[in-house]
Amino acid sequence: KTQFIMKNSYLFIVCVLACSFLAQAEDKLLYTVEFVRHGARSEIWNLPFYQDIDWPWGPGELTGSGMRMHYLLGKYIKEKYVKELKFLSEEFDRDELYIRSTDVNRTIMSAYSQLLGLYTTPTGKLQVPYQSALPPAKLTINLELIKELGENALPFEMGVFDINVDSTENETALNWYGCDYYHHLRNEAKLPKYIDPLNAKYNTLYTELCGILNINCADLKKGLYAKNFLDDLVAADFDGQRPKGIDDNMMKRVYVAYYETFLQECIGNRTTIPKIAIMGFGQELLSKFGKKIATPEWKEKFAILSSHDSSLIAVLAGLNNIPDVMLPYASNIFFELWQKGEDKVVKIYYNGEVLRIPTVVNENDEHPYEDFKNFLNSRSLEPINLTSQDDFITQWNKVCVIPKENKEEEKTSDKMQLKKGLMQTPEEKKKTEEEHNNKVLKTGICIGVVALLTLLELIWATREVKKASRPRTQLSQPLVVQQLGNLRYMN
Protein backbone atom coordinates (compact mmCIF):
# COMPACT_ATOMS: atom_id res chain seq x y z
CA LYS A 1 0.00 0.00 0.00
CA THR A 2 2.83 2.37 0.88
CA GLN A 3 4.55 1.59 -2.42
CA PHE A 4 1.29 2.22 -4.26
CA ILE A 5 0.87 5.65 -2.59
CA MET A 6 4.50 6.55 -3.35
CA LYS A 7 4.14 5.52 -6.99
CA ASN A 8 0.97 7.57 -7.32
CA SER A 9 2.66 10.54 -5.59
CA TYR A 10 5.53 10.35 -8.05
CA LEU A 11 3.04 10.11 -10.88
CA PHE A 12 1.19 13.16 -9.56
CA ILE A 13 4.39 15.20 -9.31
CA VAL A 14 5.40 14.18 -12.84
CA CYS A 15 1.97 15.23 -14.14
CA VAL A 16 2.20 18.60 -12.38
CA LEU A 17 5.66 19.24 -13.79
CA ALA A 18 4.56 18.17 -17.25
CA CYS A 19 1.53 20.44 -17.13
CA SER A 20 3.70 23.28 -15.91
CA PHE A 21 6.14 22.68 -18.74
CA LEU A 22 3.35 22.57 -21.32
CA ALA A 23 1.87 25.78 -19.93
CA GLN A 24 5.24 27.49 -20.22
CA ALA A 25 5.66 26.12 -23.72
CA GLU A 26 2.45 27.90 -24.71
CA ASP A 27 3.84 31.30 -23.69
CA LYS A 28 4.73 33.19 -26.82
CA LEU A 29 6.08 36.69 -27.35
CA LEU A 30 4.08 38.34 -30.14
CA TYR A 31 5.38 41.90 -30.47
CA THR A 32 7.78 44.29 -28.71
CA VAL A 33 7.93 48.08 -28.85
CA GLU A 34 10.99 49.93 -27.55
CA PHE A 35 10.54 53.66 -26.83
CA VAL A 36 14.02 55.09 -26.28
CA ARG A 37 15.83 58.35 -25.64
CA HIS A 38 18.84 59.31 -27.74
CA GLY A 39 22.33 58.82 -26.32
CA ALA A 40 24.73 61.40 -24.89
CA ARG A 41 24.88 64.58 -26.97
CA SER A 42 26.95 67.74 -27.33
CA GLU A 43 25.81 71.19 -26.18
CA ILE A 44 22.80 72.86 -27.79
CA TRP A 45 22.50 76.35 -26.36
CA ASN A 46 25.90 77.88 -27.22
CA LEU A 47 26.54 79.03 -23.65
CA PRO A 48 29.59 81.08 -22.66
CA PHE A 49 31.44 78.34 -20.77
CA TYR A 50 31.60 76.23 -23.95
CA GLN A 51 34.37 78.42 -25.25
CA ASP A 52 36.74 76.34 -23.12
CA ILE A 53 35.33 72.98 -24.27
CA ASP A 54 36.57 71.16 -27.35
CA TRP A 55 33.53 69.42 -28.90
CA PRO A 56 34.39 67.54 -32.12
CA TRP A 57 30.65 67.49 -32.94
CA GLY A 58 28.23 70.20 -33.92
CA PRO A 59 25.56 71.56 -31.52
CA GLY A 60 23.14 68.93 -30.25
CA GLU A 61 24.78 66.02 -32.07
CA LEU A 62 25.26 62.48 -30.78
CA THR A 63 28.72 62.08 -29.23
CA GLY A 64 30.96 59.01 -29.30
CA SER A 65 29.63 58.12 -25.85
CA GLY A 66 26.06 58.32 -27.15
CA MET A 67 26.88 56.03 -30.06
CA ARG A 68 28.49 53.51 -27.70
CA MET A 69 25.47 53.56 -25.36
CA HIS A 70 23.05 52.65 -28.15
CA TYR A 71 25.41 50.12 -29.69
CA LEU A 72 25.52 48.29 -26.34
CA LEU A 73 21.74 48.60 -26.01
CA GLY A 74 21.52 46.87 -29.38
CA LYS A 75 23.77 44.09 -28.03
CA TYR A 76 21.40 43.73 -25.05
CA ILE A 77 18.45 43.36 -27.43
CA LYS A 78 20.35 40.75 -29.41
CA GLU A 79 21.18 38.77 -26.28
CA LYS A 80 17.59 38.75 -25.01
CA TYR A 81 15.43 38.70 -28.13
CA VAL A 82 17.66 36.79 -30.54
CA LYS A 83 19.63 34.37 -28.39
CA GLU A 84 17.56 33.87 -25.24
CA LEU A 85 13.96 34.14 -26.46
CA LYS A 86 14.64 33.12 -30.10
CA PHE A 87 12.21 35.88 -31.02
CA LEU A 88 14.16 37.74 -33.69
CA SER A 89 16.07 36.03 -36.48
CA GLU A 90 19.82 35.46 -36.22
CA GLU A 91 20.31 37.26 -39.52
CA PHE A 92 18.92 40.70 -40.27
CA ASP A 93 15.39 40.53 -41.71
CA ARG A 94 13.98 43.95 -42.56
CA ASP A 95 10.43 42.55 -42.51
CA GLU A 96 10.74 41.82 -38.78
CA LEU A 97 11.84 45.29 -37.72
CA TYR A 98 10.22 48.72 -37.80
CA ILE A 99 12.53 51.63 -36.96
CA ARG A 100 11.25 55.16 -36.54
CA SER A 101 12.89 58.35 -35.33
CA THR A 102 12.12 62.00 -34.82
CA ASP A 103 13.53 64.31 -37.48
CA VAL A 104 16.69 65.10 -35.47
CA ASN A 105 20.22 63.89 -36.18
CA ARG A 106 20.94 62.61 -32.66
CA THR A 107 17.84 60.38 -32.55
CA ILE A 108 18.44 59.04 -36.07
CA MET A 109 22.09 58.29 -35.24
CA SER A 110 21.04 56.65 -31.95
CA ALA A 111 18.69 54.30 -33.78
CA TYR A 112 21.40 53.45 -36.29
CA SER A 113 23.99 52.82 -33.55
CA GLN A 114 21.56 50.50 -31.79
CA LEU A 115 20.89 48.58 -34.98
CA LEU A 116 24.61 48.08 -35.51
CA GLY A 117 24.72 46.37 -32.11
CA LEU A 118 21.70 44.23 -32.92
CA TYR A 119 22.76 43.25 -36.44
CA THR A 120 26.38 44.14 -37.17
CA THR A 121 26.16 42.87 -40.75
CA PRO A 122 22.73 43.45 -42.38
CA THR A 123 24.11 41.96 -45.60
CA GLY A 124 24.11 44.36 -48.52
CA LYS A 125 24.74 42.55 -51.82
CA LEU A 126 24.93 43.94 -55.34
CA GLN A 127 22.23 43.02 -57.84
CA VAL A 128 24.46 43.93 -60.81
CA PRO A 129 28.08 43.11 -61.76
CA TYR A 130 30.41 45.05 -59.48
CA GLN A 131 32.00 46.74 -62.50
CA SER A 132 28.65 48.49 -63.10
CA ALA A 133 28.16 49.91 -59.58
CA LEU A 134 30.48 52.89 -60.05
CA PRO A 135 30.02 56.65 -59.54
CA PRO A 136 30.08 58.97 -62.58
CA ALA A 137 33.05 58.80 -64.96
CA LYS A 138 36.17 60.96 -64.75
CA LEU A 139 36.61 60.20 -61.04
CA THR A 140 39.71 58.38 -59.88
CA ILE A 141 38.59 55.09 -58.28
CA ASN A 142 40.87 52.55 -56.63
CA LEU A 143 40.38 49.42 -58.75
CA GLU A 144 41.87 47.20 -56.06
CA LEU A 145 39.19 48.41 -53.63
CA ILE A 146 36.47 47.55 -56.15
CA LYS A 147 37.82 44.02 -56.51
CA GLU A 148 38.16 43.67 -52.76
CA LEU A 149 34.50 44.59 -52.21
CA GLY A 150 33.38 42.02 -54.77
CA GLU A 151 29.62 41.45 -54.49
CA ASN A 152 29.35 43.33 -51.18
CA ALA A 153 27.84 46.81 -51.36
CA LEU A 154 29.93 47.97 -48.38
CA PRO A 155 32.92 46.59 -46.45
CA PHE A 156 32.32 43.75 -43.97
CA GLU A 157 29.08 42.84 -45.81
CA MET A 158 27.34 45.78 -44.18
CA GLY A 159 24.14 47.31 -45.51
CA VAL A 160 22.00 50.36 -44.78
CA PHE A 161 19.09 50.14 -42.34
CA ASP A 162 15.65 51.58 -43.07
CA ILE A 163 14.81 54.34 -40.56
CA ASN A 164 11.41 55.99 -40.94
CA VAL A 165 11.33 59.72 -40.25
CA ASP A 166 8.34 62.04 -40.42
CA SER A 167 8.34 65.83 -40.26
CA THR A 168 7.87 67.45 -36.85
CA GLU A 169 4.55 68.90 -38.01
CA ASN A 170 3.16 65.46 -38.90
CA GLU A 171 4.66 63.41 -36.06
CA THR A 172 2.09 62.14 -33.56
CA ALA A 173 3.80 59.23 -31.75
CA LEU A 174 7.34 60.32 -30.87
CA ASN A 175 6.88 64.01 -30.09
CA TRP A 176 4.00 66.43 -30.33
CA TYR A 177 5.40 69.80 -31.40
CA GLY A 178 3.13 69.72 -34.44
CA CYS A 179 0.16 69.83 -32.04
CA ASP A 180 -0.71 73.49 -31.33
CA TYR A 181 -2.31 72.69 -27.98
CA TYR A 182 0.77 70.77 -26.81
CA HIS A 183 3.00 73.63 -27.93
CA HIS A 184 0.78 76.09 -26.08
CA LEU A 185 0.95 74.07 -22.86
CA ARG A 186 4.74 73.76 -23.07
CA ASN A 187 5.04 77.53 -23.43
CA GLU A 188 2.50 78.15 -20.68
CA ALA A 189 4.67 76.06 -18.33
CA LYS A 190 7.48 78.62 -18.83
CA LEU A 191 5.52 81.61 -17.54
CA PRO A 192 7.10 83.61 -14.67
CA LYS A 193 4.44 82.52 -12.19
CA TYR A 194 5.79 78.96 -12.51
CA ILE A 195 9.47 79.73 -13.06
CA ASP A 196 10.05 82.44 -10.45
CA PRO A 197 9.52 80.06 -7.49
CA LEU A 198 12.06 77.65 -8.99
CA ASN A 199 14.55 80.47 -9.50
CA ALA A 200 14.09 81.47 -5.87
CA LYS A 201 14.50 77.87 -4.70
CA TYR A 202 17.80 77.41 -6.53
CA ASN A 203 19.02 81.00 -6.27
CA THR A 204 22.07 80.04 -4.18
CA LEU A 205 23.16 77.40 -6.69
CA TYR A 206 22.69 79.78 -9.63
CA THR A 207 24.68 82.52 -7.90
CA GLU A 208 27.56 80.13 -7.21
CA LEU A 209 27.57 78.88 -10.82
CA CYS A 210 27.51 82.42 -12.20
CA GLY A 211 30.55 83.28 -10.09
CA ILE A 212 32.48 80.21 -11.19
CA LEU A 213 31.62 80.53 -14.89
CA ASN A 214 31.64 84.34 -15.03
CA ILE A 215 28.18 84.72 -16.56
CA ASN A 216 25.31 87.17 -16.00
CA CYS A 217 22.94 85.76 -13.39
CA ALA A 218 20.15 88.13 -14.45
CA ASP A 219 20.06 86.42 -17.84
CA LEU A 220 20.22 83.00 -16.21
CA LYS A 221 16.89 83.50 -14.42
CA LYS A 222 14.82 84.51 -17.44
CA GLY A 223 12.13 82.04 -18.52
CA LEU A 224 13.63 78.58 -18.54
CA TYR A 225 17.09 79.76 -19.47
CA ALA A 226 18.30 78.11 -16.27
CA LYS A 227 16.87 74.74 -17.33
CA ASN A 228 18.70 74.90 -20.66
CA PHE A 229 21.87 76.06 -18.96
CA LEU A 230 21.74 73.15 -16.50
CA ASP A 231 20.85 70.75 -19.33
CA ASP A 232 24.08 71.58 -21.13
CA LEU A 233 26.08 71.33 -17.90
CA VAL A 234 24.75 67.78 -17.54
CA ALA A 235 25.74 67.02 -21.16
CA ALA A 236 29.24 68.39 -20.59
CA ASP A 237 29.64 66.46 -17.33
CA PHE A 238 28.61 63.15 -18.91
CA ASP A 239 31.29 63.42 -21.59
CA GLY A 240 34.04 64.44 -19.16
CA GLN A 241 33.85 68.13 -20.09
CA ARG A 242 32.73 69.51 -16.72
CA PRO A 243 33.87 73.15 -16.37
CA LYS A 244 36.67 73.83 -13.90
CA GLY A 245 35.58 74.89 -10.43
CA ILE A 246 32.47 72.66 -10.27
CA ASP A 247 33.03 69.79 -7.83
CA ASP A 248 31.03 66.56 -7.41
CA ASN A 249 28.82 67.99 -4.67
CA MET A 250 27.81 70.99 -6.77
CA MET A 251 27.22 68.74 -9.77
CA LYS A 252 24.76 66.68 -7.73
CA ARG A 253 22.88 69.90 -6.94
CA VAL A 254 22.91 70.73 -10.64
CA TYR A 255 21.27 67.38 -11.47
CA VAL A 256 18.53 67.93 -8.88
CA ALA A 257 17.80 71.50 -10.03
CA TYR A 258 17.85 70.47 -13.68
CA TYR A 259 15.36 67.64 -13.18
CA GLU A 260 12.85 69.84 -11.36
CA THR A 261 13.00 72.59 -14.00
CA PHE A 262 12.84 69.91 -16.70
CA LEU A 263 9.66 68.44 -15.19
CA GLN A 264 8.10 71.90 -15.03
CA GLU A 265 8.71 72.57 -18.72
CA CYS A 266 7.96 69.10 -20.09
CA ILE A 267 4.85 68.04 -18.18
CA GLY A 268 3.68 71.26 -16.55
CA ASN A 269 0.68 70.56 -14.33
CA ARG A 270 1.27 66.78 -14.72
CA THR A 271 -2.13 66.19 -16.37
CA THR A 272 -2.86 67.55 -19.85
CA ILE A 273 0.55 67.12 -21.51
CA PRO A 274 0.79 63.44 -20.45
CA LYS A 275 -2.73 62.89 -21.83
CA ILE A 276 -1.69 64.26 -25.21
CA ALA A 277 1.43 62.05 -25.11
CA ILE A 278 -0.53 58.91 -24.26
CA MET A 279 -3.03 59.65 -27.02
CA GLY A 280 -0.30 59.98 -29.67
CA PHE A 281 2.09 57.29 -28.50
CA GLY A 282 -0.72 54.98 -27.36
CA GLN A 283 -2.25 54.99 -30.84
CA GLU A 284 1.06 53.81 -32.34
CA LEU A 285 1.53 51.16 -29.63
CA LEU A 286 -2.00 49.74 -29.72
CA SER A 287 -2.07 49.79 -33.52
CA LYS A 288 1.02 47.58 -33.62
CA PHE A 289 -0.32 45.22 -30.95
CA GLY A 290 -3.80 45.12 -32.48
CA LYS A 291 -2.53 44.31 -35.95
CA LYS A 292 -0.37 41.49 -34.60
CA ILE A 293 -3.32 39.98 -32.76
CA ALA A 294 -5.63 40.30 -35.76
CA THR A 295 -3.01 39.13 -38.28
CA PRO A 296 -0.67 36.58 -36.63
CA GLU A 297 1.08 35.89 -39.96
CA TRP A 298 2.29 39.53 -40.13
CA LYS A 299 6.09 39.25 -40.06
CA GLU A 300 6.82 42.51 -38.26
CA LYS A 301 7.47 41.88 -34.57
CA PHE A 302 9.82 44.53 -33.15
CA ALA A 303 9.62 48.35 -33.27
CA ILE A 304 12.38 50.76 -32.22
CA LEU A 305 11.05 54.29 -31.66
CA SER A 306 13.90 56.77 -31.12
CA SER A 307 12.95 60.02 -29.40
CA HIS A 308 13.80 62.49 -26.60
CA ASP A 309 13.66 62.72 -22.80
CA SER A 310 10.78 65.23 -23.04
CA SER A 311 8.72 62.58 -24.85
CA LEU A 312 9.68 59.71 -22.53
CA ILE A 313 8.85 61.69 -19.39
CA ALA A 314 5.43 62.65 -20.78
CA VAL A 315 4.63 58.99 -21.53
CA LEU A 316 5.94 57.87 -18.11
CA ALA A 317 3.77 60.53 -16.45
CA GLY A 318 0.83 59.24 -18.49
CA LEU A 319 1.58 55.75 -17.15
CA ASN A 320 1.54 57.21 -13.62
CA ASN A 321 5.27 56.49 -13.21
CA ILE A 322 7.33 59.69 -12.91
CA PRO A 323 10.89 58.62 -11.90
CA ASP A 324 12.44 60.13 -8.77
CA VAL A 325 15.63 61.03 -10.66
CA MET A 326 16.32 62.42 -14.12
CA LEU A 327 16.13 60.20 -17.18
CA PRO A 328 19.66 59.13 -18.19
CA TYR A 329 20.73 59.21 -21.82
CA ALA A 330 19.51 56.12 -23.73
CA SER A 331 16.68 55.59 -21.20
CA ASN A 332 14.18 53.12 -22.59
CA ILE A 333 10.73 51.61 -22.09
CA PHE A 334 10.01 48.15 -23.49
CA PHE A 335 6.40 47.06 -24.05
CA GLU A 336 6.01 43.32 -24.71
CA LEU A 337 2.81 41.67 -25.93
CA TRP A 338 2.62 38.00 -24.90
CA GLN A 339 0.30 35.11 -25.66
CA LYS A 340 -0.34 33.23 -22.39
CA GLY A 341 -2.52 30.25 -23.18
CA GLU A 342 -5.79 31.81 -24.32
CA ASP A 343 -4.92 35.21 -22.90
CA LYS A 344 -2.93 38.20 -24.11
CA VAL A 345 -0.83 40.08 -21.56
CA VAL A 346 1.54 43.06 -21.59
CA LYS A 347 4.85 43.34 -19.76
CA ILE A 348 6.52 46.74 -19.32
CA TYR A 349 10.16 47.48 -18.42
CA TYR A 350 11.81 50.83 -17.77
CA ASN A 351 15.61 50.76 -17.98
CA GLY A 352 15.63 47.02 -17.35
CA GLU A 353 13.28 47.02 -14.33
CA VAL A 354 9.63 46.00 -14.24
CA LEU A 355 7.29 48.98 -14.59
CA ARG A 356 3.94 48.58 -12.86
CA ILE A 357 0.92 50.63 -13.83
CA PRO A 358 -2.29 50.86 -11.77
CA THR A 359 -4.23 48.06 -13.48
CA VAL A 360 -4.88 44.42 -12.65
CA VAL A 361 -1.53 42.65 -12.53
CA ASN A 362 -0.71 38.98 -11.87
CA GLU A 363 2.14 37.48 -9.89
CA ASN A 364 4.42 37.75 -12.93
CA ASP A 365 3.87 41.52 -13.26
CA GLU A 366 1.78 40.99 -16.38
CA HIS A 367 -1.15 43.23 -17.34
CA PRO A 368 -4.14 41.66 -19.13
CA TYR A 369 -4.20 43.22 -22.60
CA GLU A 370 -7.77 44.52 -22.42
CA ASP A 371 -7.10 46.11 -19.02
CA PHE A 372 -3.96 47.69 -20.48
CA LYS A 373 -5.95 49.12 -23.41
CA ASN A 374 -8.62 50.48 -21.07
CA PHE A 375 -5.95 52.05 -18.87
CA LEU A 376 -4.35 53.86 -21.81
CA ASN A 377 -7.74 55.14 -22.92
CA SER A 378 -8.46 56.40 -19.42
CA ARG A 379 -5.17 58.32 -19.44
CA SER A 380 -5.62 59.74 -22.96
CA LEU A 381 -7.04 63.17 -23.75
CA GLU A 382 -9.61 61.42 -25.97
CA PRO A 383 -10.33 57.68 -26.39
CA ILE A 384 -7.70 56.36 -28.78
CA ASN A 385 -9.16 55.86 -32.26
CA LEU A 386 -7.95 52.60 -33.80
CA THR A 387 -10.43 52.30 -36.68
CA SER A 388 -8.04 53.82 -39.23
CA GLN A 389 -5.05 56.17 -39.38
CA ASP A 390 -7.12 58.78 -41.24
CA ASP A 391 -9.81 58.75 -38.55
CA PHE A 392 -7.16 59.10 -35.86
CA ILE A 393 -5.54 62.08 -37.64
CA THR A 394 -8.96 63.77 -37.88
CA GLN A 395 -9.46 63.22 -34.15
CA TRP A 396 -5.89 64.37 -33.41
CA ASN A 397 -6.29 67.60 -35.35
CA LYS A 398 -9.42 68.46 -33.38
CA VAL A 399 -7.71 67.80 -30.06
CA CYS A 400 -4.73 69.96 -31.05
CA VAL A 401 -6.80 73.12 -31.50
CA ILE A 402 -6.07 75.49 -28.60
CA PRO A 403 -9.28 75.95 -26.55
CA LYS A 404 -10.80 79.43 -26.88
CA GLU A 405 -10.29 80.34 -23.22
CA ASN A 406 -6.58 79.56 -23.57
CA LYS A 407 -6.31 81.79 -26.64
CA GLU A 408 -7.82 84.72 -24.74
CA GLU A 409 -5.32 84.23 -21.91
CA GLU A 410 -2.53 84.14 -24.45
CA LYS A 411 -3.34 87.67 -25.63
CA THR A 412 -2.74 89.15 -22.17
CA SER A 413 0.19 86.98 -21.12
CA ASP A 414 3.85 87.13 -21.94
CA LYS A 415 3.64 83.78 -23.68
CA MET A 416 4.53 85.19 -27.07
CA GLN A 417 7.72 86.63 -25.65
CA LEU A 418 8.60 83.21 -24.30
CA LYS A 419 7.68 81.55 -27.59
CA LYS A 420 10.13 83.78 -29.45
CA GLY A 421 12.65 82.52 -26.98
CA LEU A 422 14.69 84.06 -24.26
CA MET A 423 16.77 81.02 -25.03
CA GLN A 424 17.05 79.80 -28.62
CA THR A 425 19.09 77.18 -30.37
CA PRO A 426 21.57 78.42 -33.00
CA GLU A 427 19.18 77.23 -35.73
CA GLU A 428 16.28 79.16 -34.14
CA LYS A 429 18.45 82.27 -33.77
CA LYS A 430 19.46 82.07 -37.42
CA LYS A 431 15.82 81.69 -38.49
CA THR A 432 14.77 84.64 -36.30
CA GLU A 433 17.54 86.81 -37.75
CA GLU A 434 16.55 85.85 -41.31
CA GLU A 435 12.91 86.71 -40.61
CA HIS A 436 13.98 90.06 -39.14
CA ASN A 437 16.25 90.82 -42.11
CA ASN A 438 13.46 89.95 -44.54
CA LYS A 439 11.08 92.32 -42.74
CA VAL A 440 13.69 95.10 -42.82
CA LEU A 441 14.28 94.49 -46.54
CA LYS A 442 10.56 94.56 -47.36
CA THR A 443 10.08 97.72 -45.29
CA GLY A 444 13.02 99.37 -47.08
CA ILE A 445 11.62 98.45 -50.50
CA CYS A 446 8.20 99.87 -49.58
CA ILE A 447 9.75 103.11 -48.30
CA GLY A 448 11.86 103.37 -51.48
CA VAL A 449 8.83 102.87 -53.74
CA VAL A 450 6.82 105.49 -51.82
CA ALA A 451 9.73 107.93 -51.98
CA LEU A 452 10.12 107.38 -55.74
CA LEU A 453 6.42 107.90 -56.35
CA THR A 454 6.45 111.03 -54.22
CA LEU A 455 9.43 112.38 -56.17
CA LEU A 456 7.79 111.64 -59.52
CA GLU A 457 4.57 113.25 -58.34
CA LEU A 458 6.53 116.34 -57.26
CA ILE A 459 8.29 116.53 -60.64
CA TRP A 460 4.98 116.16 -62.41
CA ALA A 461 3.38 118.86 -60.25
CA THR A 462 6.33 121.20 -60.96
CA ARG A 463 5.93 120.68 -64.69
CA GLU A 464 2.22 121.34 -64.42
CA VAL A 465 2.91 124.63 -62.64
CA LYS A 466 5.32 125.63 -65.41
CA LYS A 467 2.74 124.64 -68.00
CA ALA A 468 0.12 126.72 -66.25
CA SER A 469 2.29 129.80 -66.69
CA ARG A 470 2.44 129.21 -70.48
CA PRO A 471 -0.34 129.53 -73.07
CA ARG A 472 -2.56 126.41 -72.76
CA THR A 473 -2.36 123.63 -75.27
CA GLN A 474 -4.25 120.34 -75.16
CA LEU A 475 -1.66 117.81 -74.03
CA SER A 476 -2.39 114.53 -72.30
CA GLN A 477 -0.54 113.40 -69.16
CA PRO A 478 2.56 111.32 -70.03
CA LEU A 479 1.74 107.58 -70.11
CA VAL A 480 4.51 106.63 -67.69
CA VAL A 481 3.22 109.06 -65.06
CA GLN A 482 -0.30 107.73 -65.52
CA GLN A 483 0.95 104.20 -64.92
CA LEU A 484 2.96 105.19 -61.87
CA GLY A 485 -0.01 107.10 -60.54
CA ASN A 486 -2.17 104.00 -60.93
CA LEU A 487 0.45 101.92 -59.17
CA ARG A 488 0.44 104.37 -56.31
CA TYR A 489 -3.27 103.96 -55.78
CA MET A 490 -3.13 100.20 -56.29
CA ASN A 491 -0.40 99.88 -53.66
Side-chain angles (χ1 to χ4, degrees):
K1 184 178 180 180
T2 302
Q3 290 179 347
F4 175 78
I5 293 175
M6 289 181 65
K7 286 181 180 179
N8 280 280
S9 299
Y10 291 143
L11 183 60
F12 175 76
I13 293 171
V14 169
C15 289
V16 169
L17 291 174
C19 290
S20 176
F21 175 79
L22 290 172
Q24 290 179 1
E26 291 177 359
D27 294 352
K28 181 181 180 182
L29 181 57
L30 302 178
Y31 202 101
T32 298
V33 172
E34 177 200 8
F35 193 37
V36 64
R37 182 193 181 189
H38 60 78
R41 60 156 177 83
S42 59
E43 52 88 13
I44 292 179
W45 305 103
N46 195 27
L47 299 173
F49 67 85
Y50 276 111
Q51 296 173 2
D52 301 324
I53 295 179
D54 180 25
W55 289 105
W57 303 276
E61 299 293 351
L62 195 69
T63 66
S65 300
M67 297 174 200
R68 172 69 66 86
M69 297 170 84
H70 273 271
Y71 176 79
L72 294 177
L73 188 52
K75 288 296 183 186
Y76 162 78
I77 294 173
K78 184 170 188 174
E79 191 66 32
K80 177 177 180 179
Y81 294 97
V82 175
K83 295 182 179 179
E84 182 183 334
L85 295 177
K86 312 291 185 188
F87 180 59
L88 293 173
S89 300
E90 286 279 354
E91 299 295 329
F92 174 70
D93 183 346
R94 66 181 66 252
D95 292 333
E96 291 184 349
L97 292 172
Y98 174 77
I99 305 100
R100 182 166 164 183
S101 170
T102 60
D103 191 14
V104 180
N105 280 352
R106 60 182 175 273
T107 54
I108 297 171
M109 293 170 67
S110 292
Y112 206 91
S113 299
Q114 189 174 135
L115 287 164
L116 286 174
L118 176 55
Y119 290 111
T120 307
T121 56
T123 311
K125 297 288 186 182
L126 297 181
Q127 304 300 316
V128 296
Y130 69 83
Q131 297 92 338
S132 304
L134 298 174
K138 297 185 180 179
L139 294 176
T140 302
I141 305 295
N142 188 327
L143 297 179
E144 290 300 319
L145 175 59
I146 295 173
K147 291 179 181 179
E148 183 180 324
L149 287 171
E151 294 181 355
N152 297 322
L154 298 171
F156 314 113
E157 298 185 355
M158 291 182 63
V160 178
F161 295 103
D162 300 328
I163 298 180
N164 298 275
V165 178
D166 208 340
S167 66
T168 300
E169 292 75 19
N170 295 328
E171 182 60 69
T172 60
L174 307 188
N175 67 38
W176 310 281
Y177 286 104
C179 177
D180 289 342
Y181 190 28
Y182 172 81
H183 208 281
H184 166 82
L185 292 169
R186 285 287 299 267
N187 283 313
E188 188 178 62
K190 304 174 188 177
L191 293 175
K193 62 181 178 181
Y194 302 116
I195 301 307
D196 288 349
L198 289 175
N199 285 337
K201 181 175 180 179
Y202 294 109
N203 182 64
T204 301
L205 173 63
Y206 296 162
T207 302
E208 291 175 18
L209 289 170
C210 290
I212 292 172
L213 301 173
N214 193 27
I215 60 176
N216 189 338
C217 256
D219 290 339
L220 183 63
K221 297 171 186 177
K222 291 178 181 177
L224 276 177
Y225 187 115
K227 175 261 178 187
N228 300 329
F229 171 80
L230 299 172
D231 190 6
D232 272 0
L233 271 180
V234 169
D237 182 60
F238 187 89
D239 258 300
Q241 303 282 358
R242 182 193 301 179
K244 294 178 181 178
I246 300 179
D247 59 21
D248 290 345
N249 182 56
M250 181 174 285
M251 203 63 217
K252 289 179 182 177
R253 293 161 63 198
V254 166
Y255 276 87
V256 172
Y258 164 68
Y259 189 47
E260 188 167 356
T261 55
F262 166 81
L263 289 177
Q264 173 55 39
E265 179 188 352
C266 296
I267 54 178
N269 62 11
R270 310 291 201 271
T271 55
T272 313
I273 288 178
K275 287 182 177 180
I276 293 174
I278 288 295
M279 182 176 175
F281 173 76
Q283 196 272 344
E284 179 77 11
L285 179 66
L286 294 181
S287 293
K288 296 288 188 188
F289 283 179
K291 184 173 180 179
K292 194 65 179 180
I293 292 171
T295 317
E297 64 274 14
W298 184 38
K299 287 194 68 175
E300 186 178 300
K301 56 175 70 174
F302 200 103
I304 298 173
L305 308 179
S306 184
S307 189
H308 308 264
D309 53 353
S310 56
S311 300
L312 257 72
I313 193 62
V315 168
L316 285 168
L319 296 174
N320 200 34
N321 273 274
I322 299 176
D324 295 327
V325 296
M326 64 169 282
L327 283 63
Y329 293 117
S331 285
N332 51 81
I333 315 172
F334 282 82
F335 299 85
E336 297 177 349
L337 175 66
W338 285 81
Q339 178 81 47
K340 293 275 188 173
E342 298 296 320
D343 301 321
K344 309 286 191 306
V345 298
V346 176
K347 296 181 181 180
I348 312 172
Y349 302 92
Y350 169 64
N351 288 343
E353 296 185 355
V354 172
L355 186 74
R356 298 175 180 84
I357 59 177
T359 67
V360 176
V361 60
N362 63 23
E363 65 278 5
N364 296 319
D365 293 309
E366 299 163 344
H367 305 274
Y369 179 62
E370 290 302 320
D371 290 338
F372 177 71
K373 279 177 59 178
N374 292 336
F375 174 76
L376 289 187
N377 275 301
S378 72
R379 304 287 290 187
S380 173
L381 198 59
E382 293 285 341
I384 299 171
N385 191 322
L386 297 173
T387 54
S388 74
Q389 183 67 16
D390 289 342
D391 288 343
F392 170 73
I393 293 301
T394 300
Q395 179 194 36
W396 178 260
N397 289 337
K398 289 180 181 178
V399 163
C400 288
V401 174
I402 303 173
K404 185 177 180 180
E405 60 271 18
N406 294 99
K407 287 185 178 180
E408 294 301 320
E409 291 175 8
E410 199 171 288
K411 293 178 182 178
T412 57
S413 73
D414 54 354
K415 181 232 177 206
M416 295 310 295
Q417 179 188 7
L418 289 162
K419 189 171 183 178
K420 284 299 178 187
L422 294 164
M423 196 62 193
Q424 294 179 312
T425 64
E427 293 82 2
E428 290 171 335
K429 286 182 179 178
K430 183 178 179 181
K431 185 178 180 181
T432 302
E433 289 173 1
E434 288 175 351
E435 290 175 352
H436 174 72
N437 292 337
N438 288 336
K439 287 180 182 178
V440 171
L441 180 61
K442 290 177 182 178
T443 302
I445 291 172
C446 289
I447 292 173
V449 170
V450 171
L452 178 61
L453 291 173
T454 303
L455 179 61
L456 290 171
E457 188 172 6
L458 182 61
I459 293 171
W460 178 75
T462 303
R463 291 179 61 184
E464 288 297 307
V465 170
K466 289 181 179 179
K467 287 179 183 179
S469 63
R470 299 179 198 168
R472 290 196 169 208
T473 56
Q474 295 296 323
L475 293 173
S476 62
Q477 185 180 354
L479 179 61
V480 67
V481 177
Q482 289 179 2
Q483 291 174 337
L484 286 171
N486 289 338
L487 283 173
R488 177 163 57 87
Y489 293 115
M490 287 170 66
N491 192 45

